[in-house]
Amino acid sequence: MKLHRMHWKQTQPLAEDYIHNYSKVQELFEYDPWTSKSLQARAAWLDDKQARISAPRELVIQALEKYNLKFPNSEKVIESIHRLRQNETLVIIGGQQAGLFTGPLLVIHKAISILRAAREAEQRLNRPVIPVFWIAGEDHDLDEVNHINQLTQQLQIEKLELNSSKVLGKREPISRLPISVEQWEQVLSELDSSLLPTDFKPNWMDKFRELIGHSNTLVDLFAGMMSMLFGSEGLVLMDSDDPHLRRLEAPMFRELIVQQKGIGQALEISKDRLIGLGYEPQADIRAGNANLFVVHSGERLLLQRDGDTYTDKIGHYRLSESELLNLAEQQPENFSNNVFTRPLMQNYLFPVLSAVLGGGEIAYWGLTREAFRTIGDQMPIILPRLEFTLVEGTVQKQLIKLDLTFEDAVLRLDEKRDEWLAAQDSIGLPQLFANVKEQFDDLYNPVLEAIGSINPGIRQLGDTNRMKILEQIQFLETKSKDAYEAQFDAAKRQYERIRQSLIPLGKRQERVYNVISYLNKYGDGWLKELLNEEFEWDGSHYAVYL
């Protein structure tokens, strides 16, 4: 497999510095990810802290086994889960919301990162390390996960969307929103129509139909696809809204409620520290925020403290602390975490060696170190996930033909296109029209000066007349430029194909497109190759030539 490695600056300044200037942000984190001793230090801390609050491991194993047995390729996954019975076993964890057909490519890249990180950590520590993918089924933002984007033959970005109008507006966890047979059939039919006819297509469509036949929710389909793609590698899946796990989390929810003030103060301290270092907080921190959700009457409500009680944003739902503690004990399945308490809950369920995160996640995890310490815990190692851009054969040929590097294509494509077009201009249109405008002004300005002596009204008329003439010259220049560039429409389409393939909507490919179109064209061999390639864990971005 041909790879090209580059530095593509992170959109989050804190994440960029975490990767390339760690000393600047080290006071926000617990471990330097670039120091070889960090793995040993984190493992030793976990070994020494067996008394920390944590879920009963055997019950976690049973819950994970029950969940993963529902999906294909579970044999290796169950082996991974059973390794948790060994006290020395550690976990590499990462996760994402449950997007339609796995959502954007970055989800696939994160799964690859988790698997690679677990494999490498196990080799370096000489002890069991298993990969866990945390499916955020508790999330309620349906608009964010109910669609995928694909590139058509006409170089248009096509949105394939699950018809979810019946449930939009409800703030219910995604894992609890049922998808009807009609909704599945509609989106599957649209997918079938959108995919090119290839040798791989019939097999993939059969697999998708089978998965959908066993899926009641988006989380079911997401987990089924992830298991199909990565189950043979031993990737353990978990739904954060799984009721079996929720029951095990009751003590931790109670702890988070009891420690609410301390956690809130810790987040405020971290926020001030982060701002002092010159960064903008990427998640909202407000005094009194309980950093927990409760599902009430089918709605997921964010709790905040109001005096001695807890309430939702508009004050319709209100409980005392004792009532909330009792609810956490009796109905933990109705509780869920926000971005700040989710990392704490992950540490409660698993002996987390490292968390694999994207740039945005690194930015908000930078606010959590003191919160971990408040409950007697410790932030794990933060490992930036691997980043990829898939370069298809036609695009690779166009890059060569136009003498473009991958960096040219993703960082300065417009500049390179304009340079290429300018180099084809044998007439020198820009200079020609610039000379005409300059000569016109040289001839016309004396006229304006002369008529201005007659009266101000005539001078004003002359100025208006000058502007109209210049507008007409500009109009002719624009039309001439368009007509000249029309000779190069084929080349311009090549530039457009490169843009739409690699940086659609001006974003990284992995944030826009879904994996299915690539599976349809190339099968899944490239995924298996990626899992066995050697990568540097230094924040590099990799172009993958298919």
Side-chain angles (χ1 to χ4, degrees), residues 420-439:
W420 186 88
L421 287 171
Q424 314 310 308
D425 184 3
S426 58
I427 301 175
L429 283 174
Q431 189 59 51
L432 181 63
F433 277 94
N435 291 340
V436 167
K437 293 172 187 175
E438 184 179 353
Q439 292 169 14

Side-chain angles (χ1 to χ4, degrees), residues 3-290:
L3 302 172
H4 173 74
R5 177 181 166 201
M6 68 166 287
H7 172 213
W8 195 342
K9 189 175 182 180
Q10 296 286 323
T11 55
Q12 290 293 339
L14 193 153
E16 176 70 12
D17 286 335
Y18 181 84
I19 295 169
H20 298 287
N21 189 15
Y22 181 74
S23 61
K24 185 177 178 182
V25 300
Q26 63 183 353
E27 62 186 279
L28 301 175
F29 300 92
E30 204 70 62
Y31 293 98
D32 182 346
W34 318 123
T35 300
S36 59
K37 294 179 180 179
S38 291
L39 277 179
Q40 288 81 1
R42 174 63 180 169
W45 189 91
L46 288 168
D47 290 340
D48 290 342
K49 293 292 181 179
Q50 294 302 318
R52 70 187 176 92
I53 181 171
S54 59
R57 189 173 294 199
E58 182 58 33
L59 296 182
V60 172
I61 291 169
Q62 292 173 20
L64 292 175
E65 187 174 21
K66 185 178 181 67
Y67 184 73
N68 283 269
L69 280 172
K70 297 189 296 184
F71 306 109
N73 293 333
S74 61
E75 183 178 347
K76 286 286 186 181
V77 177
I78 300 305
E79 288 180 15
S80 291
I81 294 170
H82 287 175
R83 297 178 82 197
L84 279 170
R85 289 199 170 101
Q86 303 173 52
N87 288 333
E88 66 269 27
T89 298
L90 303 174
V91 165
I92 301 286
I93 198 166
Q96 198 74 25
Q97 296 100 319
L100 179 64
F101 296 120
T102 72
L105 276 165
L106 65 87
V107 174
I108 303 301
H109 303 167
K110 188 173 285 187
I112 293 171
S113 302
I114 295 166
L115 286 162
R116 288 305 308 267
R119 187 186 307 168
E120 293 176 21
E122 179 163 315
Q123 291 171 351
R124 290 173 61 184
L125 293 174
N126 195 29
R127 61 189 290 180
V129 180
I130 69 166
V132 175
F133 196 99
W134 177 288
I135 305 170
E138 63 196 10
D139 193 82
H140 59 264
D141 192 347
L142 185 60
D143 274 340
E144 191 172 340
V145 298
N146 68 351
H147 64 276
I148 60 171
N149 295 311
Q150 299 186 102
L151 183 62
T152 69
Q153 288 295 98
Q154 293 72 40
L155 302 184
Q156 299 298 312
I157 298 175
E158 177 183 72
K159 185 177 182 179
L160 193 157
E161 187 172 6
L162 180 71
N163 180 11
S164 50
S165 58
K166 294 180 181 179
V167 292
L168 280 176
K170 295 186 69 176
R171 291 171 55 87
E172 191 170 0
I174 299 299
S175 67
R176 305 186 193 186
L177 286 175
I179 306 299
S180 69
V181 173
E182 291 75 22
Q183 288 172 302
W184 283 136
E185 288 178 347
Q186 164 257 320
V187 76
L188 197 60
S189 174
E190 290 184 15
L191 177 66
D192 193 7
S193 299
S194 70
L195 293 177
L196 293 171
T198 68
D199 291 341
F200 299 107
K201 181 178 176 179
N203 185 45
W204 285 119
M205 290 305 302
D206 286 345
K207 288 181 177 179
F208 298 150
R209 288 189 185 95
E210 183 178 357
L211 288 174
I212 280 176
H214 295 91
S215 298
N216 296 316
T217 67
L218 275 171
V219 172
D220 292 340
L221 178 61
F222 180 93
M225 280 196 64
M226 293 295 282
S227 183
M228 179 180 68
L229 294 173
F230 300 110
S232 60
E233 301 293 330
L235 182 64
V236 178
L237 303 176
M238 60 155 292
D239 175 9
S240 63
D241 199 49
D242 179 358
H244 299 95
L245 284 175
R246 281 286 188 245
R247 293 185 197 112
L248 304 182
E249 293 172 350
M252 185 58 174
F253 282 126
R254 287 178 58 85
E255 179 75 6
L256 293 174
I257 294 167
V258 170
Q259 299 272 16
Q260 183 271 324
K261 287 184 179 179
I263 292 171
Q265 290 168 358
L267 291 172
E268 289 282 356
I269 290 170
S270 295
K271 174 185 174 182
D272 293 342
R273 186 177 295 161
L274 185 141
I275 292 172
L277 291 172
Y279 304 106
E280 284 291 326
Q282 294 305 304
D284 191 23
I285 295 176
R286 298 182 182 180
N289 193 337

Side-chain angles (χ1 to χ4, degrees), residues 303-327:
L303 295 178
Q304 57 189 31
R305 190 154 193 145
D306 182 16
D308 294 329
T309 63
Y310 287 86
T311 180
D312 66 329
K313 187 176 181 180
I314 57 178
H316 287 174
Y317 179 78
R318 187 177 296 273
L319 291 175
S320 67
E321 181 171 303
S322 62
E323 289 173 326
L324 193 63
L325 287 168
N326 184 62
L327 189 66

Side-chain angles (χ1 to χ4, degrees), residues 364-469:
Y364 70 71
W365 270 65
L367 292 161
T368 63
R369 188 179 80 166
E370 299 307 320
F372 277 101
R373 292 181 174 185
T374 296
I375 63 169
D377 207 338
Q378 187 191 72
M379 182 190 289
I381 300 167
I382 305 304
L383 193 61
R385 68 169 174 82
L386 296 168
E387 297 182 355
F388 305 107
T389 294
L390 305 180
V391 185
E392 299 184 75
T394 53
V395 175
Q396 184 179 359
K397 291 176 183 177
Q398 289 162 351
L399 291 174
I400 294 171
K401 182 178 180 180
L402 296 169
D403 194 27
L404 294 172
T405 65
F406 179 74
E407 286 86 347
D408 290 336
V410 299
L411 300 179
R412 42 186 174 268
L413 188 61
D414 285 342
E415 177 187 337
K416 287 295 179 179
R417 182 201 60 191
D418 292 345
E419 285 178 4
W420 186 88
L421 287 171
Q424 314 310 308
D425 184 3
S426 58
I427 301 175
L429 283 174
Q431 189 59 51
L432 181 63
F433 277 94
N435 291 340
V436 167
K437 293 172 187 175
E438 184 179 353
Q439 292 169 14
F440 168 71
D441 274 337
D442 289 343
L443 291 172
Y444 207 68
N445 283 336
V447 175
L448 293 177
E449 292 296 328
I451 65 175
S453 64
I454 300 174
N455 66 58
I458 292 295
R459 173 57 193 256
Q460 187 176 6
L461 180 63
D463 287 335
T464 301
N465 188 49
R466 172 182 173 276
M467 291 303 300
K468 288 184 177 181
I469 294 171

